[in-house]
Amino acid sequence: MDWLGRVATLRQWSRGGVRAPHKPLLMLYALGRYQADAGAELVYSAVEGDLRRLLVEYGPPRATTPAYPFHHLVSDGVWEVRTEGGVGSPGTGVRELRAGRAAGRLAPELRAALRREPSLLGRMARVLLDLNFPSSLHQDLCDAVGLELEAVEAERPAVSGRRQRDRRMRELVLVAYEYRCAFCGYDGMIDTSSVGLEAAHVRWWAFDGPDDVDNGLCLCSLHHKLFDKGVLGVGDGHRILVSQRFVGRSQAARAQVTALAGRPLLGPQPGIHPIAAAHRSWHTSQVFRGSSRPADAG
């Protein structure tokens, strides 16, 4: 059984680049729980809160429910659900899942494969992370679901037919923005090498974002993380958006985040295309959270 292929092709609702990472999030959570206790079942009523928090933090901006992936993941052959009445899910109704004490776990064949080949767990997790989330969020997600990948993996797996990244993108984007963060202007170096600067995809690579300069931003490590978490965005006129849902009371939080609202991006240099409107629009609808703050008056 090609388990890597199965998790790489989980059936997800998709239309026009809309993010729906419900099943990958449930699979990552299940792998983390399996790593901690291979025999445990995940009773829906007990894990509902955890799954809901994952969807709020790492899912799309729109409201959703963990009942959908809990039920629908069964159809992908990697997950099973049982109730007090036997094998089978009662559906996507939260009340039915709770009342029937529905419990899910990895499919028996997958559990057997993980016992035979423990490193499979880490390789499956890497495929789920790489195909659904930007790399800046991978460690945070592993921490959130209790996954310790270093203990079970040696290298990233190869998946048949998988799109390959263009390794030149980082350098092209950093040159385009003259080795400074497009949000704050940070341009640190040690000796002759830049440090703390990264090339961020505006439309995530996992969602068909191209490795092109007009889909990239040079950002410092802090602002890259905040951009991928939906705290920051890029609006019309290539001005910085700051989510009203962000709360930071310190002087540092104000200087590094809230004071950016309404400021123009720094770069790219003349002659290089700025972020394409389609990529900005995707990030605003699929990643940026809530409404934007008005331009800082201070």
Side-chain angles (χ1 to χ4, degrees):
M1 180 66 69
D2 179 14
W3 294 108
L4 295 182
R6 285 216 172 184
V7 296
T9 56
L10 293 178
R11 290 188 286 274
Q12 301 179 58
W13 184 88
S14 178
R15 181 189 300 161
V18 172
R19 286 204 305 133
H22 306 64
K23 288 181 177 181
L25 284 170
L26 175 56
M27 274 300 295
L28 287 167
Y29 183 81
L31 290 172
R33 293 293 292 268
Y34 179 90
Q35 191 176 47
D37 182 358
E41 286 191 325
L42 307 182
V43 178
Y44 180 79
S45 58
V47 303
E48 181 181 8
D50 287 348
L51 296 176
R52 192 178 299 279
R53 282 188 289 274
L54 284 173
L55 283 169
V56 167
E57 190 163 359
Y58 297 100
R62 64 187 183 281
T64 188
T65 171
Y68 287 106
F70 203 91
H71 167 77
H72 287 297
L73 189 59
V74 172
S75 64
D76 292 279
V78 295
W79 177 252
E80 68 172 3
V81 175
R82 295 173 178 267
T83 66
E84 293 176 332
V87 178
S89 171
T92 58
V94 171
R95 291 182 180 178
E96 291 76 12
L97 289 167
R98 292 172 181 166
R101 288 195 54 78
R105 65 192 306 190
L106 300 177
E109 298 87 352
L110 176 52
R111 299 200 306 272
L114 290 170
R115 288 193 295 271
R116 291 191 303 270
E117 189 181 357
S119 65
L120 176 61
L121 186 148
R123 288 183 283 129
M124 290 178 68
R126 279 297 177 198
V127 168
L128 290 163
L129 290 167
D130 286 345
L131 295 184
N132 295 281
F133 305 97
S135 58
S136 66
L137 301 184
H138 288 185
Q139 188 57 55
D140 289 351
L141 241 174
C142 287
D143 292 343
V145 300
L147 270 170
E148 296 183 14
L149 296 189
E150 294 80 4
V152 293
E153 67 173 2
E155 59 185 20
R156 271 181 160 78
V159 178
S160 177
R162 184 172 163 189
R163 192 164 59 106
Q164 298 298 309
R165 293 176 183 265
D166 186 342
R167 297 181 182 277
R168 299 171 299 171
M169 182 187 177
R170 179 182 184 277
E171 189 64 23
L172 292 173
V173 169
L174 267 59
V175 168
Y177 285 85
E178 300 180 285
Y179 291 87
R180 65 176 179 175
C181 176
F183 286 167
C184 70
Y186 168 83
D187 60 355
M189 301 186 73
I190 183 167
D191 297 327
T192 59
S193 300
S194 63
V195 60
L197 287 173
E198 301 165 357
H201 283 77
V202 179
R203 182 183 179 118
W204 292 355
W205 186 88
F207 285 83
D208 298 323
D211 287 326
D212 296 335
V213 172
D214 68 0
N215 186 40
L217 276 176
C218 177
L219 298 177
C220 67
S221 300
L222 171 64
H223 289 131
H224 188 178
K225 177 66 68 68
L226 296 178
F227 187 63
D228 284 345
K229 290 281 285 186
V231 173
L232 299 173
V234 180
D236 294 339
H238 292 84
R239 292 185 175 273
I240 300 170
L241 304 176
V242 178
S243 172
Q244 288 186 328
R245 292 165 62 176
F246 174 81
V247 176
R249 299 178 179 85
S250 67
Q251 183 177 355
R254 182 181 181 280
Q256 291 295 321
V257 185
T258 54
L260 298 177
R263 291 184 185 176
L265 289 182
L266 302 174
Q269 59 176 289
I272 295 179
H273 290 298
I275 303 167
H279 302 324
R280 287 194 293 108
S281 177
W282 182 90
H283 186 276
T284 301
S285 66
Q286 297 302 310
V287 180
F288 187 72
R289 297 191 171 271
S291 302
S292 58
R293 290 173 176 262
D296 187 75

